[in-house]
Amino acid sequence: MALQGGVTFEEEQKKNPELKVEDVRALREWCQKQPHLPKVSDSELALFLHSNYYRIEPTKTTIDTYYTVRTHVPEFFSNRDPIGSKDLRKSFQTVANLVLDKTTIDGYKIIYGRLIDYEPSHYVYNDGMKYLNMVIDCWLHNEGTTQGHVILFDTKNVAFGHVGRLSPMGLKKFLYYLQEALPVRLKGFHFMNTSPVMDVILNMMKPFMKKELMDMFHMHSTMESLAKFIPLEILPNESGGQAGPLKDMNEAQIKKLEEHRAWFQEEEQTGRVNESLRPGKGKSATDLFGVEGSFKKLEID
């Protein structure tokens, strides 16, 4: 994926003394023997390696899973035109998804999400997730590796009406991608301003969360509890911070996506697997996620 701009491999080497050229070469050679995979750049290989703490075998698994999920979950990863897609434009007015400028005390970057339109019928889960993943993709493309990432959702004004807009399969797909494919060092998963609605949502999510994710999962009903992890002043004004109005921050983020329109369109053409070329048997969405109707069984196990 030789796409415009973005962080260079040389920049990644400066940031990461543990990044070895021979590891990247070994991975590049492995990728070339996987005819179903797209072309992966050296700076992307650096990102995958870093997210796996420089272990080669897990990195290979992550690379394959990353491109496979992006191929088989079109509801998150297709039609990502930030200007031309009506559904996305609507999502931009319903939720805010941002990478905050400042970091946690430990230097971790924060991906932040919150409703801006509280009407449940306006919320479309798949489009909100598409928007969130575009923000993350754009950020990783431009900034590359970082010590760690924290996801923070402000659940203020999330109502029981929103729960009905979620599906177990939709949650499973995002959580699978987050845990198995996204090339970041995830250090925390936080929900602030939680209410009893969040208990219902968490119960829907739990069957799809590994122990590692559960261990970094925190629900905050008070600001004091959140402040132990995240300096409150770096949050948008509406979440009790001083970083500025949420509307302005969201508009700046959308503008960034619009500037990357050509990049998103090219990524969609070049960053997918070709299942007909996969050694052995091709994979399908059912292989990855099972069948929509089989969730009741999962929850009892």
Side-chain angles (χ1 to χ4, degrees):
M1 248 190 327
L3 301 175
Q4 72 202 40
V7 66
T8 66
F9 182 64
E10 290 66 37
E11 288 169 308
E12 288 295 12
Q13 283 180 299
K14 282 196 191 92
K15 275 197 283 184
N16 300 296
E18 316 95 302
L19 180 59
K20 297 190 184 78
V21 174
E22 55 268 31
D23 286 352
V24 172
R25 191 179 302 129
L27 280 174
R28 200 186 317 125
E29 284 168 10
W30 173 80
C31 285
Q32 283 160 353
K33 294 186 183 118
Q34 312 300 315
H36 62 297
L37 286 181
K39 188 165 171 18
V40 188
S41 71
D42 285 356
S43 54
E44 287 168 319
L45 291 175
L47 196 57
F48 284 115
L49 261 174
H50 177 270
S51 69
N52 282 289
Y53 298 87
Y54 303 102
R55 294 165 309 171
I56 298 276
E57 290 309 311
T59 301
K60 291 177 183 175
T61 306
T62 303
I63 292 170
D64 195 289
T65 307
Y66 175 83
Y67 291 108
T68 303
V69 172
R70 291 165 80 88
T71 306
H72 292 298
V73 187
E75 59 269 41
F76 295 171
F77 298 107
S78 287
N79 306 318
R80 302 204 302 170
D81 180 346
I83 296 171
S85 162
K86 281 199 189 72
D87 293 337
L88 263 180
R89 299 303 298 180
K90 212 174 284 174
S91 190
F92 294 164
Q93 294 166 352
T94 311
V95 290
N97 287 306
L98 322 163
V99 178
L100 299 184
D101 287 338
K102 302 258 174 57
T103 64
T104 68
I105 302 136
D106 298 313
Y108 304 148
K109 291 298 285 190
I110 301 162
I111 295 151
Y112 163 99
R114 176 188 159 122
L115 287 170
I116 35 184
D117 173 345
Y118 307 141
E119 169 50 52
S121 68
H122 294 169
Y123 175 71
V124 180
Y125 172 78
N126 286 342
D127 295 336
M129 282 298 142
K130 184 184 291 193
Y131 176 19
L132 175 65
N133 283 307
M134 287 172 75
V135 168
I136 295 171
D137 287 355
C138 188
W139 192 83
L140 290 176
H141 172 66
N142 289 309
E143 305 287 329
T145 59
T146 189
Q147 281 170 293
H149 281 81
V150 169
I151 294 175
L152 169 65
F153 290 127
D154 185 344
T155 63
K156 196 173 170 62
N157 298 106
V158 173
F160 281 105
H162 290 99
V163 180
R165 313 282 292 166
L166 303 174
S167 72
M169 182 58 100
L171 291 168
K172 181 179 190 179
K173 285 177 177 178
F174 175 66
L175 290 165
Y176 181 84
Y177 178 71
L178 180 67
Q179 295 174 99
E180 308 295 338
L182 189 65
V184 302
R185 294 181 176 182
L186 193 64
K187 300 290 187 179
F189 196 9
H190 298 265
F191 288 80
M192 65 183 285
N193 289 318
T194 56
S195 66
V197 176
M198 272 315 297
D199 296 331
V200 180
I201 295 175
L202 179 60
N203 283 335
M204 287 173 76
M205 292 166 64
K206 265 186 181 154
F208 314 122
M209 290 168 70
K210 291 177 154 181
K211 184 182 181 301
E212 294 87 341
L213 191 61
M214 284 304 298
D215 289 347
M216 60 175 85
F217 191 89
H218 301 275
M219 306 261 263
H220 307 283
S221 53
T222 67
M223 296 303 272
E224 290 76 32
S225 138
L226 180 66
K228 292 184 186 129
F229 298 90
I230 290 167
L232 299 181
E233 67 275 8
I234 74 178
L235 299 173
N237 301 354
E238 287 80 347
S239 287
Q242 297 157 21
L246 186 61
K247 187 174 178 295
D248 296 355
M249 295 170 78
N250 196 39
E251 279 169 9
Q253 185 69 67
I254 292 161
K255 191 169 176 294
K256 202 170 279 177
L257 298 185
E258 289 169 351
E259 287 164 1
H260 284 75
R261 182 190 196 186
W263 180 79
F264 281 114
Q265 290 174 321
E266 190 182 332
E267 188 279 332
E268 207 174 309
Q269 296 304 312
T270 56
R272 302 292 177 265
V273 298
N274 181 340
E275 289 296 355
S276 66
L277 297 177
R278 185 188 288 273
K281 187 176 164 288
K283 287 188 176 173
S284 68
T286 310
D287 295 328
L288 292 172
F289 306 111
V291 182
E292 185 81 64
S294 60
F295 284 107
K296 282 290 158 276
K297 188 175 120 334
L298 281 178
E299 283 156 22
I300 302 156
D301 284 356

